[in-house]
Amino acid sequence: MTAQDLTTKAATSAGDANSLSGTVQKSVSGSTTVTGGTGAGEPAATRGKTSIADVVVVKIAGMAAREIPGVYDMGGGLSRTLGAVRDRVPGGRPNVGRGVKVEVGERQTAIDLDIVVEYGVPITDVAHDVRENVIAAVERITGLEVVEVNVAINDVRLPDDDDADSSGETRVE
């Protein structure tokens, strides 16, 4: 092998090593960016960047939490009130991110959930099921490691809560 062949081989190896090592960066806009290598020698799946915005994790976690039986609603009192008004507006869509706060890092995320449970369900079981479902969904869909899911039970929906609101009767005239 000539000296030129060795130089070319070393440069090619260094280029391959540089392009194969992907990086993960946190941008200022609140999204996580995974950067792959560049060049024609790279597999198609690793060419370019993938960004995951914080709102994506919020929506995934919100949907996953609502799938659990016993979860009546999400969010604190004020956010639920505003959400109810928003839901009644024609063309308004429910906010799946209500009651969800996230911190997204380079490879990990932490999630805080505010939940309203139905009366009679074991709260610890509901919290456990919510935690498991949220972690599974976020890790499967985003590839981020979920380091913690904090569940705060803000209220309990009583069976007669809907009856009092829907009757339309008032105590005073």
Side-chain angles (χ1 to χ4, degrees), residues 7 52 111 132-133 139 166:
T7 304
I52 301 172
I111 302 168
E132 279 187 344
N133 202 40
E139 287 184 346
S166 63

Side-chain angles (χ1 to χ4, degrees), residues 28-61:
V28 177
S29 66
S31 63
T32 300
T33 304
V34 179
T35 307
T38 58
E42 290 296 314
T46 61
R47 294 184 200 172
K49 296 188 291 186
T50 302
S51 298
I52 301 172
D54 292 358
V55 70
V56 172
V57 177
V58 166
K59 288 181 178 183
I60 294 168

Side-chain angles (χ1 to χ4, degrees), residues 115-135:
I115 294 178
V116 178
V117 296
E118 295 181 10
Y119 176 79
V121 299
I123 292 175
T124 55
D125 292 348
V126 171
H128 179 267
D129 293 345
V130 165
R131 196 172 282 115
E132 279 187 344
N133 202 40
V134 167
I135 290 171

Side-chain angles (χ1 to χ4, degrees), residues 20-112:
L20 285 176
S21 62
T23 59
V24 180
Q25 301 171 341
K26 175 80 173 171
S27 71
V28 177
S29 66
S31 63
T32 300
T33 304
V34 179
T35 307
T38 58
E42 290 296 314
T46 61
R47 294 184 200 172
K49 296 188 291 186
T50 302
S51 298
I52 301 172
D54 292 358
V55 70
V56 172
V57 177
V58 166
K59 288 181 178 183
I60 294 168
M63 290 296 294
R66 283 177 172 79
E67 291 174 353
I68 301 303
V71 174
Y72 176 72
D73 202 359
M74 295 186 62
L78 181 61
S79 70
R80 286 197 326 267
T81 302
L82 294 175
V85 171
R86 181 180 178 182
D87 293 346
R88 290 186 178 135
V89 173
R93 298 180 312 182
N95 182 3
V96 296
R98 183 173 61 228
V100 181
K101 297 178 192 97
V102 300
E103 292 180 37
V104 180
E106 293 179 357
R107 293 177 209 92
Q108 299 175 329
T109 185
I111 302 168
D112 296 324

Side-chain angles (χ1 to χ4, degrees), residues 123-160:
I123 292 175
T124 55
D125 292 348
V126 171
H128 179 267
D129 293 345
V130 165
R131 196 172 282 115
E132 279 187 344
N133 202 40
V134 167
I135 290 171
V138 171
E139 287 184 346
R140 179 177 45 84
I141 295 171
T142 66
L144 296 169
E145 177 189 0
V146 178
V147 294
E148 67 180 7
V149 175
N150 299 312
V151 179
I153 310 300
N154 286 336
D155 200 358
V156 175
R157 180 199 165 257
L158 300 174
D160 60 345

